[in-house]
mmCIF file of all heavy atoms in Angstrom:
data_model
loop_
_atom_site.group_PDB
_atom_site.id
_atom_site.type_symbol
_atom_site.label_atom_id
_atom_site.label_comp_id
_atom_site.label_asym_id
_atom_site.label_seq_id
_atom_site.Cartn_x
_atom_site.Cartn_y
_atom_site.Cartn_z
ATOM 1 N N TRP A 1 0.810 -1.203 -0.002
ATOM 2 C CA TRP A 1 -0.006 -0.005 0.003
ATOM 3 C C TRP A 1 0.852 1.262 0.004
ATOM 4 O O TRP A 1 0.477 2.270 -0.584
ATOM 5 C CB TRP A 1 -0.943 0.007 1.201
ATOM 6 C CG TRP A 1 -2.077 -0.920 1.050
ATOM 7 C CD1 TRP A 1 -2.185 -2.174 1.588
ATOM 8 C CD2 TRP A 1 -3.270 -0.721 0.291
ATOM 9 N NE1 TRP A 1 -3.368 -2.748 1.218
ATOM 10 C CE2 TRP A 1 -4.071 -1.867 0.430
ATOM 11 C CE3 TRP A 1 -3.745 0.334 -0.484
ATOM 12 C CZ2 TRP A 1 -5.299 -2.002 -0.186
ATOM 13 C CZ3 TRP A 1 -4.976 0.195 -1.083
ATOM 14 C CH2 TRP A 1 -5.742 -0.956 -0.940
ATOM 15 N N GLU A 2 1.981 1.201 0.661
ATOM 16 C CA GLU A 2 2.799 2.407 0.875
ATOM 17 C C GLU A 2 3.860 2.662 -0.189
ATOM 18 O O GLU A 2 4.234 3.802 -0.428
ATOM 19 C CB GLU A 2 3.492 2.343 2.237
ATOM 20 C CG GLU A 2 2.550 2.121 3.409
ATOM 21 C CD GLU A 2 1.513 3.204 3.535
ATOM 22 O OE1 GLU A 2 1.851 4.395 3.335
ATOM 23 O OE2 GLU A 2 0.342 2.866 3.829
ATOM 24 N N SER A 3 4.370 1.583 -0.801
ATOM 25 C CA SER A 3 5.507 1.774 -1.697
ATOM 26 C C SER A 3 5.654 0.637 -2.693
ATOM 27 O O SER A 3 4.989 -0.388 -2.609
ATOM 28 C CB SER A 3 6.789 1.889 -0.863
ATOM 29 O OG SER A 3 7.050 0.667 -0.209
ATOM 30 N N VAL A 4 6.579 0.857 -3.601
ATOM 31 C CA VAL A 4 7.001 -0.155 -4.549
ATOM 32 C C VAL A 4 8.520 -0.154 -4.573
ATOM 33 O O VAL A 4 9.142 0.909 -4.468
ATOM 34 C CB VAL A 4 6.434 0.093 -5.963
ATOM 35 C CG1 VAL A 4 6.833 1.446 -6.508
ATOM 36 C CG2 VAL A 4 6.829 -1.009 -6.932
ATOM 37 N N SER A 5 9.114 -1.330 -4.673
ATOM 38 C CA SER A 5 10.574 -1.388 -4.758
ATOM 39 C C SER A 5 10.970 -2.582 -5.615
ATOM 40 O O SER A 5 10.207 -3.517 -5.825
ATOM 41 C CB SER A 5 11.192 -1.500 -3.371
ATOM 42 O OG SER A 5 10.769 -2.686 -2.734
ATOM 43 N N TYR A 6 12.185 -2.496 -6.112
ATOM 44 C CA TYR A 6 12.766 -3.568 -6.911
ATOM 45 C C TYR A 6 14.026 -4.020 -6.196
ATOM 46 O O TYR A 6 14.915 -3.235 -5.925
ATOM 47 C CB TYR A 6 13.131 -3.072 -8.323
ATOM 48 C CG TYR A 6 11.940 -2.717 -9.147
ATOM 49 C CD1 TYR A 6 11.358 -1.457 -9.064
ATOM 50 C CD2 TYR A 6 11.373 -3.633 -10.022
ATOM 51 C CE1 TYR A 6 10.256 -1.113 -9.827
ATOM 52 C CE2 TYR A 6 10.272 -3.311 -10.786
ATOM 53 C CZ TYR A 6 9.721 -2.044 -10.688
ATOM 54 O OH TYR A 6 8.644 -1.721 -11.434
ATOM 55 N N TYR A 7 14.110 -5.304 -5.886
ATOM 56 C CA TYR A 7 15.275 -5.832 -5.190
ATOM 57 C C TYR A 7 15.632 -7.193 -5.783
ATOM 58 O O TYR A 7 14.756 -8.017 -6.032
ATOM 59 C CB TYR A 7 15.002 -5.983 -3.691
ATOM 60 C CG TYR A 7 16.099 -6.709 -2.979
ATOM 61 C CD1 TYR A 7 17.293 -6.068 -2.665
ATOM 62 C CD2 TYR A 7 15.973 -8.056 -2.655
ATOM 63 C CE1 TYR A 7 18.321 -6.743 -2.029
ATOM 64 C CE2 TYR A 7 16.998 -8.734 -2.021
ATOM 65 C CZ TYR A 7 18.170 -8.082 -1.704
ATOM 66 O OH TYR A 7 19.184 -8.743 -1.091
ATOM 67 N N LYS A 8 16.896 -7.387 -5.971
ATOM 68 C CA LYS A 8 17.398 -8.690 -6.399
ATOM 69 C C LYS A 8 18.640 -8.983 -5.569
ATOM 70 O O LYS A 8 19.592 -8.198 -5.568
ATOM 71 C CB LYS A 8 17.740 -8.675 -7.883
ATOM 72 C CG LYS A 8 18.087 -10.046 -8.406
ATOM 73 C CD LYS A 8 18.094 -10.044 -9.908
ATOM 74 C CE LYS A 8 18.262 -11.465 -10.373
ATOM 75 N NZ LYS A 8 18.015 -11.602 -11.784
ATOM 76 N N GLY A 9 18.584 -10.068 -4.840
ATOM 77 C CA GLY A 9 19.700 -10.446 -3.987
ATOM 78 C C GLY A 9 20.970 -10.705 -4.790
ATOM 79 O O GLY A 9 20.902 -11.067 -5.971
ATOM 80 N N GLU A 10 22.099 -10.561 -4.142
ATOM 81 C CA GLU A 10 23.368 -10.732 -4.837
ATOM 82 C C GLU A 10 23.594 -12.149 -5.302
ATOM 83 O O GLU A 10 24.399 -12.409 -6.188
ATOM 84 C CB GLU A 10 24.513 -10.271 -3.950
ATOM 85 C CG GLU A 10 24.646 -11.040 -2.650
ATOM 86 C CD GLU A 10 25.722 -10.470 -1.771
ATOM 87 O OE1 GLU A 10 25.610 -9.300 -1.385
ATOM 88 O OE2 GLU A 10 26.681 -11.213 -1.471
ATOM 89 N N HIS A 11 22.890 -13.124 -4.728
ATOM 90 C CA HIS A 11 23.046 -14.510 -5.123
ATOM 91 C C HIS A 11 21.955 -14.981 -6.080
ATOM 92 O O HIS A 11 21.899 -16.162 -6.420
ATOM 93 C CB HIS A 11 23.082 -15.413 -3.884
ATOM 94 C CG HIS A 11 24.215 -15.072 -2.973
ATOM 95 N ND1 HIS A 11 25.533 -15.242 -3.313
ATOM 96 C CD2 HIS A 11 24.217 -14.534 -1.724
ATOM 97 C CE1 HIS A 11 26.305 -14.837 -2.333
ATOM 98 N NE2 HIS A 11 25.530 -14.405 -1.347
ATOM 99 N N SER A 12 21.120 -14.068 -6.533
ATOM 100 C CA SER A 12 20.049 -14.428 -7.466
ATOM 101 C C SER A 12 20.640 -14.754 -8.831
ATOM 102 O O SER A 12 21.545 -14.073 -9.318
ATOM 103 C CB SER A 12 19.061 -13.266 -7.619
ATOM 104 O OG SER A 12 18.458 -12.974 -6.404
ATOM 105 N N GLU A 13 20.135 -15.793 -9.419
ATOM 106 C CA GLU A 13 20.563 -16.192 -10.755
ATOM 107 C C GLU A 13 19.851 -15.347 -11.805
ATOM 108 O O GLU A 13 18.657 -15.088 -11.689
ATOM 109 C CB GLU A 13 20.228 -17.670 -10.977
ATOM 110 C CG GLU A 13 20.996 -18.631 -10.096
ATOM 111 C CD GLU A 13 22.455 -18.688 -10.454
ATOM 112 O OE1 GLU A 13 22.797 -18.630 -11.654
ATOM 113 O OE2 GLU A 13 23.272 -18.793 -9.533
ATOM 114 N N PRO A 14 20.543 -14.926 -12.858
ATOM 115 C CA PRO A 14 19.885 -14.179 -13.925
ATOM 116 C C PRO A 14 18.921 -15.071 -14.696
ATOM 117 O O PRO A 14 19.128 -16.276 -14.809
ATOM 118 C CB PRO A 14 21.035 -13.705 -14.811
ATOM 119 C CG PRO A 14 22.176 -14.568 -14.466
ATOM 120 C CD PRO A 14 21.960 -15.082 -13.077
ATOM 121 N N GLY A 15 17.851 -14.468 -15.209
ATOM 122 C CA GLY A 15 16.898 -15.198 -16.015
ATOM 123 C C GLY A 15 17.548 -15.689 -17.300
ATOM 124 O O GLY A 15 18.590 -15.176 -17.731
ATOM 125 N N ALA A 16 16.935 -16.686 -17.916
ATOM 126 C CA ALA A 16 17.501 -17.324 -19.109
ATOM 127 C C ALA A 16 17.792 -16.336 -20.236
ATOM 128 O O ALA A 16 18.808 -16.418 -20.910
ATOM 129 C CB ALA A 16 16.570 -18.425 -19.603
ATOM 130 N N GLY A 17 16.923 -15.364 -20.448
ATOM 131 C CA GLY A 17 17.113 -14.422 -21.551
ATOM 132 C C GLY A 17 17.615 -13.048 -21.126
ATOM 133 O O GLY A 17 17.623 -12.132 -21.929
ATOM 134 N N SER A 18 18.033 -12.923 -19.898
ATOM 135 C CA SER A 18 18.431 -11.612 -19.366
ATOM 136 C C SER A 18 19.551 -10.963 -20.169
ATOM 137 O O SER A 18 19.469 -9.795 -20.543
ATOM 138 C CB SER A 18 18.860 -11.764 -17.900
ATOM 139 O OG SER A 18 19.225 -10.523 -17.374
ATOM 140 N N ARG A 19 20.609 -11.677 -20.428
ATOM 141 C CA ARG A 19 21.738 -11.110 -21.185
ATOM 142 C C ARG A 19 21.309 -10.710 -22.592
ATOM 143 O O ARG A 19 21.635 -9.615 -23.072
ATOM 144 C CB ARG A 19 22.890 -12.120 -21.253
ATOM 145 C CG ARG A 19 24.111 -11.552 -21.988
ATOM 146 C CD ARG A 19 25.214 -12.598 -22.117
ATOM 147 N NE ARG A 19 24.800 -13.820 -22.789
ATOM 148 C CZ ARG A 19 24.653 -13.957 -24.097
ATOM 149 N NH1 ARG A 19 24.870 -12.940 -24.901
ATOM 150 N NH2 ARG A 19 24.263 -15.120 -24.624
ATOM 151 N N LEU A 20 20.517 -11.561 -23.239
ATOM 152 C CA LEU A 20 20.054 -11.252 -24.591
ATOM 153 C C LEU A 20 19.136 -10.038 -24.603
ATOM 154 O O LEU A 20 19.219 -9.196 -25.496
ATOM 155 C CB LEU A 20 19.316 -12.460 -25.185
ATOM 156 C CG LEU A 20 20.190 -13.671 -25.488
ATOM 157 C CD1 LEU A 20 19.328 -14.850 -25.938
ATOM 158 C CD2 LEU A 20 21.216 -13.331 -26.545
ATOM 159 N N TYR A 21 18.289 -9.910 -23.596
ATOM 160 C CA TYR A 21 17.400 -8.754 -23.504
ATOM 161 C C TYR A 21 18.211 -7.466 -23.351
ATOM 162 O O TYR A 21 17.962 -6.469 -24.029
ATOM 163 C CB TYR A 21 16.428 -8.903 -22.323
ATOM 164 C CG TYR A 21 15.632 -7.637 -22.091
ATOM 165 C CD1 TYR A 21 14.628 -7.276 -22.973
ATOM 166 C CD2 TYR A 21 15.921 -6.798 -21.020
ATOM 167 C CE1 TYR A 21 13.915 -6.098 -22.778
ATOM 168 C CE2 TYR A 21 15.218 -5.626 -20.820
ATOM 169 C CZ TYR A 21 14.198 -5.282 -21.706
ATOM 170 O OH TYR A 21 13.515 -4.101 -21.522
ATOM 171 N N ARG A 22 19.188 -7.491 -22.469
ATOM 172 C CA ARG A 22 20.025 -6.298 -22.247
ATOM 173 C C ARG A 22 20.764 -5.888 -23.512
ATOM 174 O O ARG A 22 20.864 -4.702 -23.839
ATOM 175 C CB ARG A 22 21.017 -6.558 -21.109
ATOM 176 C CG ARG A 22 20.330 -6.669 -19.770
ATOM 177 C CD ARG A 22 21.287 -7.103 -18.729
ATOM 178 N NE ARG A 22 20.602 -7.216 -17.428
ATOM 179 C CZ ARG A 22 21.199 -7.584 -16.327
ATOM 180 N NH1 ARG A 22 22.478 -7.879 -16.317
ATOM 181 N NH2 ARG A 22 20.507 -7.660 -15.196
ATOM 182 N N GLU A 23 21.297 -6.858 -24.227
ATOM 183 C CA GLU A 23 21.986 -6.567 -25.496
ATOM 184 C C GLU A 23 21.023 -5.974 -26.514
ATOM 185 O O GLU A 23 21.334 -5.021 -27.205
ATOM 186 C CB GLU A 23 22.633 -7.839 -26.044
ATOM 187 C CG GLU A 23 23.824 -8.307 -25.263
ATOM 188 C CD GLU A 23 24.354 -9.649 -25.744
ATOM 189 O OE1 GLU A 23 23.842 -10.200 -26.770
ATOM 190 O OE2 GLU A 23 25.268 -10.191 -25.088
ATOM 191 N N TRP A 24 19.832 -6.579 -26.623
ATOM 192 C CA TRP A 24 18.820 -6.104 -27.559
ATOM 193 C C TRP A 24 18.420 -4.675 -27.234
ATOM 194 O O TRP A 24 18.337 -3.819 -28.136
ATOM 195 C CB TRP A 24 17.583 -7.010 -27.502
ATOM 196 C CG TRP A 24 16.432 -6.504 -28.274
ATOM 197 C CD1 TRP A 24 16.207 -6.620 -29.622
ATOM 198 C CD2 TRP A 24 15.302 -5.784 -27.738
ATOM 199 N NE1 TRP A 24 15.024 -6.006 -29.952
ATOM 200 C CE2 TRP A 24 14.457 -5.489 -28.816
ATOM 201 C CE3 TRP A 24 14.951 -5.366 -26.463
ATOM 202 C CZ2 TRP A 24 13.275 -4.786 -28.661
ATOM 203 C CZ3 TRP A 24 13.769 -4.669 -26.308
ATOM 204 C CH2 TRP A 24 12.947 -4.387 -27.386
ATOM 205 N N LEU A 25 18.191 -4.365 -25.972
ATOM 206 C CA LEU A 25 17.779 -3.034 -25.552
ATOM 207 C C LEU A 25 18.854 -1.991 -25.888
ATOM 208 O O LEU A 25 18.549 -0.897 -26.353
ATOM 209 C CB LEU A 25 17.482 -3.029 -24.053
ATOM 210 C CG LEU A 25 16.804 -1.788 -23.506
ATOM 211 C CD1 LEU A 25 15.412 -1.627 -24.107
ATOM 212 C CD2 LEU A 25 16.700 -1.882 -21.985
ATOM 213 N N ARG A 26 20.105 -2.354 -25.665
ATOM 214 C CA ARG A 26 21.195 -1.434 -25.970
ATOM 215 C C ARG A 26 21.326 -1.208 -27.473
ATOM 216 O O ARG A 26 21.443 -0.084 -27.943
ATOM 217 C CB ARG A 26 22.515 -1.960 -25.398
ATOM 218 C CG ARG A 26 23.679 -0.993 -25.562
ATOM 219 C CD ARG A 26 24.992 -1.526 -25.027
ATOM 220 N NE ARG A 26 25.426 -2.709 -25.738
ATOM 221 C CZ ARG A 26 25.410 -3.959 -25.245
ATOM 222 N NH1 ARG A 26 25.017 -4.185 -24.017
ATOM 223 N NH2 ARG A 26 25.793 -4.977 -25.954
ATOM 224 N N GLU A 27 21.265 -2.316 -28.244
ATOM 225 C CA GLU A 27 21.427 -2.207 -29.699
ATOM 226 C C GLU A 27 20.238 -1.541 -30.364
ATOM 227 O O GLU A 27 20.391 -0.697 -31.255
ATOM 228 C CB GLU A 27 21.661 -3.594 -30.285
ATOM 229 C CG GLU A 27 22.988 -4.182 -29.913
ATOM 230 C CD GLU A 27 23.126 -5.641 -30.318
ATOM 231 O OE1 GLU A 27 22.261 -6.166 -31.052
ATOM 232 O OE2 GLU A 27 24.103 -6.272 -29.868
ATOM 233 N N LYS A 28 19.027 -1.902 -29.970
ATOM 234 C CA LYS A 28 17.815 -1.410 -30.630
ATOM 235 C C LYS A 28 17.452 0.013 -30.219
ATOM 236 O O LYS A 28 17.059 0.828 -31.048
ATOM 237 C CB LYS A 28 16.656 -2.352 -30.294
ATOM 238 C CG LYS A 28 15.329 -1.988 -30.882
ATOM 239 C CD LYS A 28 15.186 -2.445 -32.288
ATOM 240 C CE LYS A 28 13.760 -2.175 -32.770
ATOM 241 N NZ LYS A 28 13.623 -2.366 -34.159
ATOM 242 N N TYR A 29 17.596 0.342 -28.920
ATOM 243 C CA TYR A 29 17.120 1.626 -28.409
ATOM 244 C C TYR A 29 18.207 2.483 -27.764
ATOM 245 O O TYR A 29 17.936 3.603 -27.323
ATOM 246 C CB TYR A 29 15.988 1.410 -27.413
ATOM 247 C CG TYR A 29 14.779 0.805 -28.049
ATOM 248 C CD1 TYR A 29 14.484 -0.537 -27.856
ATOM 249 C CD2 TYR A 29 13.961 1.543 -28.891
ATOM 250 C CE1 TYR A 29 13.369 -1.120 -28.475
ATOM 251 C CE2 TYR A 29 12.854 0.973 -29.518
ATOM 252 C CZ TYR A 29 12.572 -0.362 -29.296
ATOM 253 O OH TYR A 29 11.495 -0.933 -29.909
ATOM 254 N N GLY A 30 19.423 1.961 -27.667
ATOM 255 C CA GLY A 30 20.506 2.719 -27.062
ATOM 256 C C GLY A 30 20.313 2.931 -25.564
ATOM 257 O O GLY A 30 20.828 3.883 -25.002
ATOM 258 N N LEU A 31 19.554 2.045 -24.919
ATOM 259 C CA LEU A 31 19.287 2.178 -23.493
ATOM 260 C C LEU A 31 20.219 1.280 -22.690
ATOM 261 O O LEU A 31 20.402 0.117 -23.011
ATOM 262 C CB LEU A 31 17.820 1.817 -23.178
ATOM 263 C CG LEU A 31 16.777 2.753 -23.785
ATOM 264 C CD1 LEU A 31 15.373 2.229 -23.546
ATOM 265 C CD2 LEU A 31 16.923 4.158 -23.218
ATOM 266 N N ALA A 32 20.746 1.850 -21.633
ATOM 267 C CA ALA A 32 21.707 1.129 -20.793
ATOM 268 C C ALA A 32 21.021 0.282 -19.733
ATOM 269 O O ALA A 32 19.893 0.576 -19.311
ATOM 270 C CB ALA A 32 22.635 2.135 -20.113
ATOM 271 N N THR A 33 21.736 -0.724 -19.285
ATOM 272 C CA THR A 33 21.323 -1.532 -18.141
ATOM 273 C C THR A 33 21.437 -0.666 -16.895
ATOM 274 O O THR A 33 22.349 0.140 -16.783
ATOM 275 C CB THR A 33 22.250 -2.757 -18.033
ATOM 276 O OG1 THR A 33 22.073 -3.552 -19.199
ATOM 277 C CG2 THR A 33 21.918 -3.592 -16.809
ATOM 278 N N ILE A 34 20.522 -0.853 -15.943
ATOM 279 C CA ILE A 34 20.593 -0.110 -14.697
ATOM 280 C C ILE A 34 20.880 -1.075 -13.536
ATOM 281 O O ILE A 34 20.624 -2.278 -13.641
ATOM 282 C CB ILE A 34 19.303 0.691 -14.424
ATOM 283 C CG1 ILE A 34 18.084 -0.236 -14.312
ATOM 284 C CG2 ILE A 34 19.105 1.745 -15.503
ATOM 285 C CD1 ILE A 34 16.816 0.452 -13.862
ATOM 286 N N SER A 35 21.393 -0.550 -12.455
ATOM 287 C CA SER A 35 21.664 -1.396 -11.281
ATOM 288 C C SER A 35 20.645 -1.135 -10.175
ATOM 289 O O SER A 35 20.591 -1.880 -9.203
ATOM 290 C CB SER A 35 23.078 -1.162 -10.764
ATOM 291 O OG SER A 35 23.259 0.196 -10.453
ATOM 292 N N SER A 36 19.858 -0.069 -10.327
ATOM 293 C CA SER A 36 18.838 0.276 -9.343
ATOM 294 C C SER A 36 17.728 1.041 -10.050
ATOM 295 O O SER A 36 17.996 1.899 -10.905
ATOM 296 C CB SER A 36 19.426 1.127 -8.227
ATOM 297 O OG SER A 36 18.403 1.640 -7.402
ATOM 298 N N ALA A 37 16.475 0.792 -9.641
ATOM 299 C CA ALA A 37 15.343 1.519 -10.217
ATOM 300 C C ALA A 37 14.939 2.712 -9.354
ATOM 301 O O ALA A 37 14.057 3.464 -9.725
ATOM 302 C CB ALA A 37 14.154 0.575 -10.363
ATOM 303 N N ASP A 38 15.605 2.904 -8.237
ATOM 304 C CA ASP A 38 15.195 3.931 -7.278
ATOM 305 C C ASP A 38 15.068 5.321 -7.898
ATOM 306 O O ASP A 38 14.077 6.016 -7.672
ATOM 307 C CB ASP A 38 16.149 3.979 -6.097
ATOM 308 C CG ASP A 38 16.115 2.713 -5.264
ATOM 309 O OD1 ASP A 38 15.188 1.897 -5.437
ATOM 310 O OD2 ASP A 38 17.033 2.523 -4.433
ATOM 311 N N ALA A 39 16.057 5.756 -8.662
ATOM 312 C CA ALA A 39 16.021 7.105 -9.230
ATOM 313 C C ALA A 39 14.898 7.243 -10.263
ATOM 314 O O ALA A 39 14.195 8.255 -10.294
ATOM 315 C CB ALA A 39 17.368 7.446 -9.854
ATOM 316 N N ILE A 40 14.709 6.226 -11.096
ATOM 317 C CA ILE A 40 13.645 6.257 -12.103
ATOM 318 C C ILE A 40 12.287 6.324 -11.434
ATOM 319 O O ILE A 40 11.450 7.147 -11.808
ATOM 320 C CB ILE A 40 13.739 5.030 -13.026
ATOM 321 C CG1 ILE A 40 14.975 5.122 -13.920
ATOM 322 C CG2 ILE A 40 12.475 4.884 -13.878
ATOM 323 C CD1 ILE A 40 15.252 3.889 -14.757
ATOM 324 N N VAL A 41 12.070 5.474 -10.438
ATOM 325 C CA VAL A 41 10.782 5.447 -9.734
ATOM 326 C C VAL A 41 10.536 6.769 -9.006
ATOM 327 O O VAL A 41 9.450 7.329 -9.107
ATOM 328 C CB VAL A 41 10.722 4.244 -8.768
ATOM 329 C CG1 VAL A 41 9.466 4.313 -7.911
ATOM 330 C CG2 VAL A 41 10.765 2.935 -9.540
ATOM 331 N N ALA A 42 11.522 7.267 -8.300
ATOM 332 C CA ALA A 42 11.358 8.510 -7.536
ATOM 333 C C ALA A 42 11.010 9.686 -8.444
ATOM 334 O O ALA A 42 10.105 10.483 -8.137
ATOM 335 C CB ALA A 42 12.628 8.820 -6.732
ATOM 336 N N LYS A 43 11.713 9.789 -9.568
ATOM 337 C CA LYS A 43 11.454 10.876 -10.514
ATOM 338 C C LYS A 43 10.045 10.777 -11.089
ATOM 339 O O LYS A 43 9.310 11.755 -11.162
ATOM 340 C CB LYS A 43 12.505 10.861 -11.614
ATOM 341 C CG LYS A 43 12.414 12.041 -12.561
ATOM 342 C CD LYS A 43 13.565 12.029 -13.548
ATOM 343 C CE LYS A 43 13.352 10.932 -14.546
ATOM 344 N NZ LYS A 43 14.018 11.053 -15.813
ATOM 345 N N ALA A 44 9.652 9.575 -11.487
ATOM 346 C CA ALA A 44 8.321 9.382 -12.056
ATOM 347 C C ALA A 44 7.227 9.644 -11.028
ATOM 348 O O ALA A 44 6.210 10.265 -11.333
ATOM 349 C CB ALA A 44 8.188 7.963 -12.616
ATOM 350 N N GLN A 45 7.437 9.191 -9.793
ATOM 351 C CA GLN A 45 6.432 9.411 -8.758
ATOM 352 C C GLN A 45 6.310 10.891 -8.412
ATOM 353 O O GLN A 45 5.210 11.372 -8.165
ATOM 354 C CB GLN A 45 6.762 8.588 -7.510
ATOM 355 C CG GLN A 45 6.462 7.130 -7.739
ATOM 356 C CD GLN A 45 6.655 6.294 -6.490
ATOM 357 O OE1 GLN A 45 7.203 6.728 -5.487
ATOM 358 N NE2 GLN A 45 6.174 5.059 -6.567
ATOM 359 N N SER A 46 7.421 11.608 -8.415
ATOM 360 C CA SER A 46 7.323 13.041 -8.106
ATOM 361 C C SER A 46 6.494 13.777 -9.166
ATOM 362 O O SER A 46 5.848 14.770 -8.852
ATOM 363 C CB SER A 46 8.715 13.664 -7.990
ATOM 364 O OG SER A 46 9.338 13.777 -9.244
ATOM 365 N N LYS A 47 6.490 13.301 -10.380
ATOM 366 C CA LYS A 47 5.713 13.934 -11.453
ATOM 367 C C LYS A 47 4.268 13.458 -11.512
ATOM 368 O O LYS A 47 3.381 14.237 -11.828
ATOM 369 C CB LYS A 47 6.381 13.659 -12.806
ATOM 370 C CG LYS A 47 7.607 14.436 -13.075
ATOM 371 C CD LYS A 47 8.135 14.067 -14.446
ATOM 372 C CE LYS A 47 8.752 15.236 -15.112
ATOM 373 N NZ LYS A 47 9.270 14.897 -16.423
ATOM 374 N N PHE A 48 4.026 12.155 -11.263
ATOM 375 C CA PHE A 48 2.724 11.582 -11.595
ATOM 376 C C PHE A 48 1.968 10.895 -10.457
ATOM 377 O O PHE A 48 0.768 10.652 -10.611
ATOM 378 C CB PHE A 48 2.872 10.577 -12.732
ATOM 379 C CG PHE A 48 3.434 11.157 -13.986
ATOM 380 C CD1 PHE A 48 4.741 10.870 -14.392
ATOM 381 C CD2 PHE A 48 2.683 11.998 -14.793
ATOM 382 C CE1 PHE A 48 5.275 11.398 -15.535
ATOM 383 C CE2 PHE A 48 3.188 12.538 -15.955
ATOM 384 C CZ PHE A 48 4.495 12.231 -16.334
#
């Protein structure tokens, strides 16, 4: 009710297509991989 967060433990295994997705995103849209969603979420929430 109060918040949303994204967390992945340091021992979590990457999904089967994770590497391919990241490469596709960078090649197709020029978007970088992120290590935290906090800044994106905070900025979007402050606006909307």
